[in-house]
Amino acid sequence: MWGVVAYHGPDAENLEDMVVKTTFCATKLSLAEQGKPMVIIAGVPFGTPGSTNLLRIVYP
């Protein structure tokens, strides 16, 4: 798992809020670069243990 960094950030209210908060935290912590792909893994509905069912690729 080369290049994988796990980070537990603030709770999100919806999917778009999750993307905004995740990209903000990742760029502030120098874990992501502007224009480079970043993978977000989450579970929907939020707050449900064992529901990791979302993989989204974003470009901060």
Side-chain angles (χ1 to χ4, degrees):
M1 300 224 277
W2 179 82
V4 174
V5 177
Y7 177 78
H8 187 260
D11 287 339
E13 295 183 24
N14 56 47
L15 187 58
E16 191 58 36
D17 185 41
M18 185 252 327
V19 171
V20 169
K21 287 180 177 179
T22 302
T23 54
F24 178 78
C25 289
T27 53
K28 284 293 185 187
L29 296 170
S30 299
L31 298 174
E33 295 179 35
Q34 195 74 22
K36 300 271 183 154
M38 181 176 81
V39 177
I40 300 172
I41 299 172
V44 178
F46 297 122
T48 305
S51 68
T52 304
N53 57 5
L54 174 76
L55 183 140
R56 184 155 178 187
I57 300 171
V58 296
Y59 293 83

